[in-house]
Amino acid sequence: MEGLDASAVRGKITLLPGSDEELTSVTFCIMDEDHTMGNALRYMLMKDPRVEFCGYTLPHPSENKVHLRVQMLEHTVSAVDAFRDALAQLDQVFSTIEDRYRESLSAGHVNKEPAPQPSVPLRTQFSA
C-alpha cells in the first residue's frame, strides 16, 4: 500500500452508523468487493488478539459491497486501527505471493500443458 494515493481509495471504505464513540465497535462498508475480500479481511482480523469479534455480510447479491463488523476487546486500539493493520498484512501477503510467482516464472519452473480437448466434438453451428 506504499505509494498509494489516498484519493484513489476515497469513498471505497466508509463507516456505517452505529459505531461507538471510541470506535471499538465499527461496521465498515467496503465498496466494489465481494466475499473474497470480506473473508480475507475477516481472517486477518481474527488473527489479531485485540479483536473480540469480526464478521462480514453481503447486504444483497445485486449490491457490490461488503459490510464488515469489527468489535475490539475493551481498552485496546480502535477497530479502525485494527482494520488498517489487517489491510497492511494482506498487502504484505499479496506482495509475497506475487514475488514468489515472478521468481518461479523467471527461473523457468513452469510446466506448460496443452489446453484440454473437449470429450465431445464442438458444434460450429446451432440449428434453429
Side-chain angles (χ1 to χ4, degrees):
M1 293 188 349
E2 296 172 18
L4 182 64
D5 181 15
S7 64
V9 294
R10 194 170 317 283
K12 174 84 173 175
I13 302 169
T14 57
L15 301 182
L16 295 179
S19 302
D20 61 6
E21 278 186 27
E22 297 83 27
L23 296 177
T24 58
S25 184
V26 176
T27 302
F28 299 92
C29 180
I30 309 167
M31 299 301 295
D32 298 323
E33 295 296 343
D34 60 14
H35 67 90
T36 305
M37 181 59 77
N39 198 38
L41 278 170
R42 185 190 66 78
Y43 175 79
M44 285 299 180
L45 283 160
M46 289 308 295
K47 287 176 54 174
D48 188 334
R50 305 168 297 181
V51 174
E52 182 175 19
F53 170 80
C54 181
Y56 74 93
T57 60
L58 304 174
H60 190 275
S62 67
E63 295 180 290
N64 198 20
K65 62 183 175 182
V66 174
H67 290 174
L68 183 74
R69 178 79 177 163
V70 181
Q71 287 179 230
M72 305 301 293
L73 294 172
E74 289 186 38
H75 310 296
T76 60
V77 300
S78 75
V80 174
D81 291 335
F83 184 80
R84 189 176 297 126
D85 293 346
L87 284 173
Q89 290 170 0
L90 270 180
D91 186 52
Q92 183 60 45
V93 167
F94 296 149
S95 294
T96 301
I97 291 170
E98 181 181 19
D99 293 345
R100 298 299 181 272
Y101 176 73
R102 292 190 186 283
E103 287 171 12
S104 179
L105 284 179
S106 64
H109 298 151
V110 179
N111 294 327
K112 293 186 179 182
E113 300 203 9
Q117 297 298 314
S119 59
V120 294
L122 295 176
R123 294 183 73 176
T124 57
Q125 293 182 351
F126 290 98
S127 56

mmCIF file of all heavy atoms in Angstrom, residues 68-107:
data_model
loop_
_atom_site.group_PDB
_atom_site.id
_atom_site.type_symbol
_atom_site.label_atom_id
_atom_site.label_comp_id
_atom_site.label_asym_id
_atom_site.label_seq_id
_atom_site.Cartn_x
_atom_site.Cartn_y
_atom_site.Cartn_z
ATOM 1 N N LEU A 68 -18.427 -5.215 6.971
ATOM 2 C CA LEU A 68 -17.504 -5.929 7.858
ATOM 3 C C LEU A 68 -17.628 -5.338 9.257
ATOM 4 O O LEU A 68 -17.358 -4.154 9.464
ATOM 5 C CB LEU A 68 -16.068 -5.777 7.342
ATOM 6 C CG LEU A 68 -14.992 -6.520 8.095
ATOM 7 C CD1 LEU A 68 -15.068 -8.013 7.786
ATOM 8 C CD2 LEU A 68 -13.631 -5.985 7.720
ATOM 9 N N ARG A 69 -18.077 -6.152 10.212
ATOM 10 C CA ARG A 69 -18.266 -5.715 11.596
ATOM 11 C C ARG A 69 -17.052 -6.130 12.416
ATOM 12 O O ARG A 69 -16.647 -7.290 12.393
ATOM 13 C CB ARG A 69 -19.518 -6.374 12.170
ATOM 14 C CG ARG A 69 -19.799 -6.038 13.608
ATOM 15 C CD ARG A 69 -20.429 -4.701 13.688
ATOM 16 N NE ARG A 69 -20.769 -4.392 15.075
ATOM 17 C CZ ARG A 69 -21.036 -3.198 15.478
ATOM 18 N NH1 ARG A 69 -21.025 -2.188 14.632
ATOM 19 N NH2 ARG A 69 -21.345 -2.973 16.730
ATOM 20 N N VAL A 70 -16.463 -5.160 13.137
ATOM 21 C CA VAL A 70 -15.289 -5.414 13.962
ATOM 22 C C VAL A 70 -15.557 -4.901 15.367
ATOM 23 O O VAL A 70 -15.931 -3.738 15.541
ATOM 24 C CB VAL A 70 -14.025 -4.720 13.395
ATOM 25 C CG1 VAL A 70 -12.815 -5.013 14.257
ATOM 26 C CG2 VAL A 70 -13.776 -5.141 11.960
ATOM 27 N N GLN A 71 -15.391 -5.771 16.362
ATOM 28 C CA GLN A 71 -15.516 -5.388 17.758
ATOM 29 C C GLN A 71 -14.206 -5.701 18.455
ATOM 30 O O GLN A 71 -13.702 -6.825 18.372
ATOM 31 C CB GLN A 71 -16.651 -6.154 18.438
ATOM 32 C CG GLN A 71 -18.013 -5.698 18.015
ATOM 33 C CD GLN A 71 -19.119 -6.487 18.674
ATOM 34 O OE1 GLN A 71 -19.998 -6.942 17.986
ATOM 35 N NE2 GLN A 71 -19.060 -6.654 19.981
ATOM 36 N N MET A 72 -13.676 -4.702 19.134
ATOM 37 C CA MET A 72 -12.397 -4.842 19.822
ATOM 38 C C MET A 72 -12.624 -5.185 21.294
ATOM 39 O O MET A 72 -13.680 -4.904 21.852
ATOM 40 C CB MET A 72 -11.609 -3.530 19.728
ATOM 41 C CG MET A 72 -11.406 -3.019 18.316
ATOM 42 S SD MET A 72 -10.546 -4.174 17.247
ATOM 43 C CE MET A 72 -8.943 -4.177 18.012
ATOM 44 N N LEU A 73 -11.620 -5.808 21.901
ATOM 45 C CA LEU A 73 -11.647 -6.004 23.345
ATOM 46 C C LEU A 73 -11.562 -4.642 24.009
ATOM 47 O O LEU A 73 -11.032 -3.690 23.434
ATOM 48 C CB LEU A 73 -10.470 -6.872 23.783
ATOM 49 C CG LEU A 73 -10.497 -8.326 23.295
ATOM 50 C CD1 LEU A 73 -9.186 -9.007 23.627
ATOM 51 C CD2 LEU A 73 -11.661 -9.077 23.906
ATOM 52 N N GLU A 74 -12.069 -4.529 25.209
ATOM 53 C CA GLU A 74 -12.025 -3.249 25.910
ATOM 54 C C GLU A 74 -10.589 -2.790 26.130
ATOM 55 O O GLU A 74 -9.684 -3.613 26.322
ATOM 56 C CB GLU A 74 -12.729 -3.368 27.258
ATOM 57 C CG GLU A 74 -14.230 -3.509 27.130
ATOM 58 C CD GLU A 74 -14.908 -3.482 28.482
ATOM 59 O OE1 GLU A 74 -14.474 -2.717 29.351
ATOM 60 O OE2 GLU A 74 -15.863 -4.251 28.638
ATOM 61 N N HIS A 75 -10.400 -1.486 26.112
ATOM 62 C CA HIS A 75 -9.107 -0.846 26.404
ATOM 63 C C HIS A 75 -8.005 -1.259 25.422
ATOM 64 O O HIS A 75 -6.861 -1.454 25.801
ATOM 65 C CB HIS A 75 -8.661 -1.123 27.840
ATOM 66 C CG HIS A 75 -9.724 -0.834 28.848
ATOM 67 N ND1 HIS A 75 -10.216 0.430 29.063
ATOM 68 C CD2 HIS A 75 -10.410 -1.658 29.676
ATOM 69 C CE1 HIS A 75 -11.158 0.380 29.999
ATOM 70 N NE2 HIS A 75 -11.301 -0.864 30.382
ATOM 71 N N THR A 76 -8.356 -1.453 24.187
ATOM 72 C CA THR A 76 -7.360 -1.723 23.151
ATOM 73 C C THR A 76 -7.453 -0.634 22.096
ATOM 74 O O THR A 76 -8.134 0.358 22.294
ATOM 75 C CB THR A 76 -7.576 -3.115 22.501
ATOM 76 O OG1 THR A 76 -8.882 -3.151 21.918
ATOM 77 C CG2 THR A 76 -7.438 -4.243 23.514
ATOM 78 N N VAL A 77 -6.785 -0.838 20.984
ATOM 79 C CA VAL A 77 -6.831 0.151 19.904
ATOM 80 C C VAL A 77 -8.230 0.182 19.278
ATOM 81 O O VAL A 77 -9.048 -0.696 19.518
ATOM 82 C CB VAL A 77 -5.782 -0.159 18.810
ATOM 83 C CG1 VAL A 77 -4.397 -0.143 19.386
ATOM 84 C CG2 VAL A 77 -6.087 -1.471 18.132
ATOM 85 N N SER A 78 -8.469 1.163 18.449
ATOM 86 C CA SER A 78 -9.766 1.267 17.779
ATOM 87 C C SER A 78 -9.876 0.215 16.687
ATOM 88 O O SER A 78 -8.875 -0.317 16.195
ATOM 89 C CB SER A 78 -9.943 2.671 17.188
ATOM 90 O OG SER A 78 -9.149 2.821 16.031
ATOM 91 N N ALA A 79 -11.105 -0.059 16.294
ATOM 92 C CA ALA A 79 -11.356 -1.000 15.198
ATOM 93 C C ALA A 79 -10.776 -0.466 13.894
ATOM 94 O O ALA A 79 -10.362 -1.236 13.023
ATOM 95 C CB ALA A 79 -12.850 -1.255 15.065
ATOM 96 N N VAL A 80 -10.720 0.848 13.764
ATOM 97 C CA VAL A 80 -10.149 1.453 12.558
ATOM 98 C C VAL A 80 -8.658 1.120 12.472
ATOM 99 O O VAL A 80 -8.153 0.760 11.401
ATOM 100 C CB VAL A 80 -10.388 2.984 12.545
ATOM 101 C CG1 VAL A 80 -9.670 3.637 11.382
ATOM 102 C CG2 VAL A 80 -11.873 3.292 12.519
ATOM 103 N N ASP A 81 -7.945 1.201 13.596
ATOM 104 C CA ASP A 81 -6.523 0.843 13.605
ATOM 105 C C ASP A 81 -6.322 -0.633 13.287
ATOM 106 O O ASP A 81 -5.422 -1.004 12.529
ATOM 107 C CB ASP A 81 -5.887 1.177 14.959
ATOM 108 C CG ASP A 81 -5.784 2.664 15.203
ATOM 109 O OD1 ASP A 81 -5.738 3.437 14.219
ATOM 110 O OD2 ASP A 81 -5.764 3.068 16.384
ATOM 111 N N ALA A 82 -7.153 -1.490 13.869
ATOM 112 C CA ALA A 82 -7.050 -2.934 13.604
ATOM 113 C C ALA A 82 -7.343 -3.226 12.139
ATOM 114 O O ALA A 82 -6.679 -4.062 11.513
ATOM 115 C CB ALA A 82 -8.003 -3.704 14.509
ATOM 116 N N PHE A 83 -8.332 -2.535 11.573
ATOM 117 C CA PHE A 83 -8.686 -2.704 10.161
ATOM 118 C C PHE A 83 -7.513 -2.287 9.274
ATOM 119 O O PHE A 83 -7.153 -2.989 8.334
ATOM 120 C CB PHE A 83 -9.933 -1.864 9.857
ATOM 121 C CG PHE A 83 -10.461 -2.025 8.468
ATOM 122 C CD1 PHE A 83 -11.242 -3.109 8.127
ATOM 123 C CD2 PHE A 83 -10.177 -1.082 7.490
ATOM 124 C CE1 PHE A 83 -11.740 -3.254 6.840
ATOM 125 C CE2 PHE A 83 -10.666 -1.213 6.212
ATOM 126 C CZ PHE A 83 -11.454 -2.304 5.885
ATOM 127 N N ARG A 84 -6.905 -1.157 9.610
ATOM 128 C CA ARG A 84 -5.750 -0.666 8.851
ATOM 129 C C ARG A 84 -4.596 -1.676 8.929
ATOM 130 O O ARG A 84 -3.945 -1.967 7.930
ATOM 131 C CB ARG A 84 -5.318 0.693 9.396
ATOM 132 C CG ARG A 84 -4.280 1.389 8.546
ATOM 133 C CD ARG A 84 -3.943 2.773 9.070
ATOM 134 N NE ARG A 84 -5.110 3.647 9.019
ATOM 135 C CZ ARG A 84 -5.581 4.330 10.060
ATOM 136 N NH1 ARG A 84 -5.005 4.255 11.231
ATOM 137 N NH2 ARG A 84 -6.629 5.111 9.921
ATOM 138 N N ASP A 85 -4.362 -2.245 10.123
ATOM 139 C CA ASP A 85 -3.311 -3.257 10.287
ATOM 140 C C ASP A 85 -3.603 -4.500 9.446
ATOM 141 O O ASP A 85 -2.707 -5.057 8.816
ATOM 142 C CB ASP A 85 -3.168 -3.662 11.756
ATOM 143 C CG ASP A 85 -2.644 -2.545 12.639
ATOM 144 O OD1 ASP A 85 -2.138 -1.528 12.099
ATOM 145 O OD2 ASP A 85 -2.750 -2.685 13.885
ATOM 146 N N ALA A 86 -4.870 -4.932 9.432
ATOM 147 C CA ALA A 86 -5.252 -6.109 8.644
ATOM 148 C C ALA A 86 -5.041 -5.866 7.155
ATOM 149 O O ALA A 86 -4.568 -6.751 6.430
ATOM 150 C CB ALA A 86 -6.708 -6.485 8.923
ATOM 151 N N LEU A 87 -5.368 -4.673 6.681
ATOM 152 C CA LEU A 87 -5.129 -4.332 5.271
ATOM 153 C C LEU A 87 -3.638 -4.368 4.943
ATOM 154 O O LEU A 87 -3.239 -4.878 3.893
ATOM 155 C CB LEU A 87 -5.707 -2.952 4.944
ATOM 156 C CG LEU A 87 -7.215 -2.864 4.784
ATOM 157 C CD1 LEU A 87 -7.646 -1.409 4.645
ATOM 158 C CD2 LEU A 87 -7.690 -3.679 3.601
ATOM 159 N N ALA A 88 -2.816 -3.840 5.847
ATOM 160 C CA ALA A 88 -1.365 -3.847 5.626
ATOM 161 C C ALA A 88 -0.828 -5.273 5.598
ATOM 162 O O ALA A 88 0.028 -5.607 4.769
ATOM 163 C CB ALA A 88 -0.665 -3.034 6.711
ATOM 164 N N GLN A 89 -1.345 -6.130 6.473
ATOM 165 C CA GLN A 89 -0.910 -7.531 6.486
ATOM 166 C C GLN A 89 -1.317 -8.242 5.202
ATOM 167 O O GLN A 89 -0.529 -9.012 4.630
ATOM 168 C CB GLN A 89 -1.496 -8.257 7.692
ATOM 169 C CG GLN A 89 -0.917 -7.815 9.005
ATOM 170 C CD GLN A 89 -1.684 -8.375 10.191
ATOM 171 O OE1 GLN A 89 -2.665 -9.094 10.028
ATOM 172 N NE2 GLN A 89 -1.241 -8.023 11.384
ATOM 173 N N LEU A 90 -2.542 -7.986 4.733
ATOM 174 C CA LEU A 90 -2.984 -8.588 3.469
ATOM 175 C C LEU A 90 -2.122 -8.109 2.311
ATOM 176 O O LEU A 90 -1.760 -8.900 1.426
ATOM 177 C CB LEU A 90 -4.444 -8.243 3.181
ATOM 178 C CG LEU A 90 -5.489 -9.189 3.707
ATOM 179 C CD1 LEU A 90 -6.884 -8.698 3.331
ATOM 180 C CD2 LEU A 90 -5.278 -10.594 3.233
ATOM 181 N N ASP A 91 -1.791 -6.834 2.312
ATOM 182 C CA ASP A 91 -0.937 -6.282 1.262
ATOM 183 C C ASP A 91 0.411 -6.995 1.255
ATOM 184 O O ASP A 91 0.936 -7.343 0.192
ATOM 185 C CB ASP A 91 -0.759 -4.779 1.477
ATOM 186 C CG ASP A 91 -0.010 -4.124 0.338
ATOM 187 O OD1 ASP A 91 -0.413 -4.322 -0.829
ATOM 188 O OD2 ASP A 91 0.979 -3.424 0.615
ATOM 189 N N GLN A 92 0.950 -7.267 2.436
ATOM 190 C CA GLN A 92 2.232 -7.969 2.529
ATOM 191 C C GLN A 92 2.114 -9.405 2.015
ATOM 192 O O GLN A 92 2.989 -9.887 1.303
ATOM 193 C CB GLN A 92 2.734 -7.966 3.980
ATOM 194 C CG GLN A 92 4.078 -8.611 4.155
ATOM 195 C CD GLN A 92 5.166 -7.922 3.347
ATOM 196 O OE1 GLN A 92 5.249 -6.705 3.325
ATOM 197 N NE2 GLN A 92 5.986 -8.697 2.670
ATOM 198 N N VAL A 93 1.028 -10.074 2.366
ATOM 199 C CA VAL A 93 0.805 -11.443 1.884
ATOM 200 C C VAL A 93 0.721 -11.458 0.363
ATOM 201 O O VAL A 93 1.359 -12.281 -0.303
ATOM 202 C CB VAL A 93 -0.473 -12.046 2.506
ATOM 203 C CG1 VAL A 93 -0.893 -13.326 1.798
ATOM 204 C CG2 VAL A 93 -0.267 -12.311 3.992
ATOM 205 N N PHE A 94 -0.059 -10.537 -0.204
ATOM 206 C CA PHE A 94 -0.214 -10.491 -1.656
ATOM 207 C C PHE A 94 1.107 -10.164 -2.350
ATOM 208 O O PHE A 94 1.420 -10.723 -3.399
ATOM 209 C CB PHE A 94 -1.286 -9.479 -2.061
ATOM 210 C CG PHE A 94 -2.668 -9.823 -1.570
ATOM 211 C CD1 PHE A 94 -3.565 -8.819 -1.277
ATOM 212 C CD2 PHE A 94 -3.068 -11.133 -1.392
ATOM 213 C CE1 PHE A 94 -4.845 -9.117 -0.829
ATOM 214 C CE2 PHE A 94 -4.331 -11.450 -0.938
ATOM 215 C CZ PHE A 94 -5.228 -10.436 -0.657
ATOM 216 N N SER A 95 1.904 -9.285 -1.771
ATOM 217 C CA SER A 95 3.215 -8.946 -2.333
ATOM 218 C C SER A 95 4.145 -10.150 -2.314
ATOM 219 O O SER A 95 4.870 -10.406 -3.276
ATOM 220 C CB SER A 95 3.857 -7.793 -1.566
ATOM 221 O OG SER A 95 3.121 -6.614 -1.750
ATOM 222 N N THR A 96 4.120 -10.901 -1.227
ATOM 223 C CA THR A 96 4.954 -12.097 -1.118
ATOM 224 C C THR A 96 4.554 -13.133 -2.156
ATOM 225 O O THR A 96 5.416 -13.728 -2.812
ATOM 226 C CB THR A 96 4.856 -12.696 0.303
ATOM 227 O OG1 THR A 96 5.276 -11.707 1.248
ATOM 228 C CG2 THR A 96 5.703 -13.943 0.435
ATOM 229 N N ILE A 97 3.262 -13.336 -2.317
ATOM 230 C CA ILE A 97 2.781 -14.291 -3.328
ATOM 231 C C ILE A 97 3.224 -13.850 -4.721
ATOM 232 O O ILE A 97 3.714 -14.658 -5.513
ATOM 233 C CB ILE A 97 1.249 -14.435 -3.256
ATOM 234 C CG1 ILE A 97 0.850 -15.150 -1.971
ATOM 235 C CG2 ILE A 97 0.711 -15.176 -4.485
ATOM 236 C CD1 ILE A 97 -0.636 -15.121 -1.687
ATOM 237 N N GLU A 98 3.069 -12.574 -5.019
ATOM 238 C CA GLU A 98 3.474 -12.069 -6.335
ATOM 239 C C GLU A 98 4.981 -12.240 -6.552
ATOM 240 O O GLU A 98 5.409 -12.664 -7.628
ATOM 241 C CB GLU A 98 3.091 -10.604 -6.489
ATOM 242 C CG GLU A 98 3.470 -10.056 -7.861
ATOM 243 C CD GLU A 98 3.121 -8.589 -8.027
ATOM 244 O OE1 GLU A 98 2.916 -7.886 -7.025
ATOM 245 O OE2 GLU A 98 3.057 -8.159 -9.190
ATOM 246 N N ASP A 99 5.774 -11.920 -5.526
ATOM 247 C CA ASP A 99 7.234 -12.076 -5.645
ATOM 248 C C ASP A 99 7.615 -13.521 -5.932
ATOM 249 O O ASP A 99 8.429 -13.798 -6.815
ATOM 250 C CB ASP A 99 7.941 -11.603 -4.376
ATOM 251 C CG ASP A 99 7.827 -10.108 -4.161
ATOM 252 O OD1 ASP A 99 7.451 -9.388 -5.121
ATOM 253 O OD2 ASP A 99 8.105 -9.662 -3.019
ATOM 254 N N ARG A 100 7.046 -14.462 -5.194
ATOM 255 C CA ARG A 100 7.363 -15.884 -5.393
ATOM 256 C C ARG A 100 6.925 -16.361 -6.779
ATOM 257 O O ARG A 100 7.613 -17.136 -7.438
ATOM 258 C CB ARG A 100 6.714 -16.754 -4.317
ATOM 259 C CG ARG A 100 7.152 -16.484 -2.909
ATOM 260 C CD ARG A 100 8.657 -16.716 -2.709
ATOM 261 N NE ARG A 100 9.053 -16.469 -1.352
ATOM 262 C CZ ARG A 100 9.419 -15.295 -0.851
ATOM 263 N NH1 ARG A 100 9.434 -14.225 -1.621
ATOM 264 N NH2 ARG A 100 9.777 -15.170 0.398
ATOM 265 N N TYR A 101 5.788 -15.887 -7.210
ATOM 266 C CA TYR A 101 5.279 -16.253 -8.529
ATOM 267 C C TYR A 101 6.220 -15.758 -9.625
ATOM 268 O O TYR A 101 6.603 -16.508 -10.527
ATOM 269 C CB TYR A 101 3.875 -15.669 -8.716
ATOM 270 C CG TYR A 101 3.297 -15.899 -10.089
ATOM 271 C CD1 TYR A 101 2.863 -17.151 -10.488
ATOM 272 C CD2 TYR A 101 3.182 -14.841 -10.994
ATOM 273 C CE1 TYR A 101 2.335 -17.361 -11.738
ATOM 274 C CE2 TYR A 101 2.648 -15.041 -12.253
ATOM 275 C CZ TYR A 101 2.225 -16.297 -12.622
ATOM 276 O OH TYR A 101 1.709 -16.491 -13.869
ATOM 277 N N ARG A 102 6.641 -14.513 -9.534
ATOM 278 C CA ARG A 102 7.545 -13.944 -10.534
ATOM 279 C C ARG A 102 8.914 -14.633 -10.503
ATOM 280 O O ARG A 102 9.515 -14.858 -11.552
ATOM 281 C CB ARG A 102 7.675 -12.442 -10.344
ATOM 282 C CG ARG A 102 6.381 -11.706 -10.658
ATOM 283 C CD ARG A 102 6.555 -10.208 -10.701
ATOM 284 N NE ARG A 102 5.298 -9.517 -10.870
ATOM 285 C CZ ARG A 102 4.641 -9.412 -12.023
ATOM 286 N NH1 ARG A 102 5.138 -9.954 -13.106
ATOM 287 N NH2 ARG A 102 3.503 -8.752 -12.084
ATOM 288 N N GLU A 103 9.398 -14.967 -9.305
ATOM 289 C CA GLU A 103 10.661 -15.704 -9.197
ATOM 290 C C GLU A 103 10.557 -17.053 -9.890
ATOM 291 O O GLU A 103 11.470 -17.478 -10.609
ATOM 292 C CB GLU A 103 11.031 -15.924 -7.721
ATOM 293 C CG GLU A 103 11.518 -14.697 -7.008
ATOM 294 C CD GLU A 103 11.670 -14.923 -5.515
ATOM 295 O OE1 GLU A 103 11.624 -16.090 -5.049
ATOM 296 O OE2 GLU A 103 11.816 -13.917 -4.794
ATOM 297 N N SER A 104 9.446 -17.732 -9.682
ATOM 298 C CA SER A 104 9.240 -19.041 -10.298
ATOM 299 C C SER A 104 9.176 -18.925 -11.819
ATOM 300 O O SER A 104 9.762 -19.739 -12.534
ATOM 301 C CB SER A 104 7.954 -19.667 -9.764
ATOM 302 O OG SER A 104 7.722 -20.909 -10.350
ATOM 303 N N LEU A 105 8.503 -17.897 -12.321
ATOM 304 C CA LEU A 105 8.429 -17.696 -13.771
ATOM 305 C C LEU A 105 9.797 -17.406 -14.361
ATOM 306 O O LEU A 105 10.179 -17.975 -15.392
ATOM 307 C CB LEU A 105 7.482 -16.540 -14.105
ATOM 308 C CG LEU A 105 5.996 -16.808 -13.999
ATOM 309 C CD1 LEU A 105 5.216 -15.540 -14.333
ATOM 310 C CD2 LEU A 105 5.570 -17.943 -14.895
ATOM 311 N N SER A 106 10.549 -16.524 -13.707
ATOM 312 C CA SER A 106 11.857 -16.152 -14.248
ATOM 313 C C SER A 106 12.861 -17.299 -14.140
ATOM 314 O O SER A 106 13.792 -17.381 -14.942
ATOM 315 C CB SER A 106 12.405 -14.906 -13.550
ATOM 316 O OG SER A 106 12.633 -15.168 -12.190
ATOM 317 N N ALA A 107 12.676 -18.208 -13.185
ATOM 318 C CA ALA A 107 13.573 -19.358 -13.042
ATOM 319 C C ALA A 107 13.213 -20.472 -14.022
ATOM 320 O O ALA A 107 13.945 -21.450 -14.147
ATOM 321 C CB ALA A 107 13.534 -19.886 -11.615
#
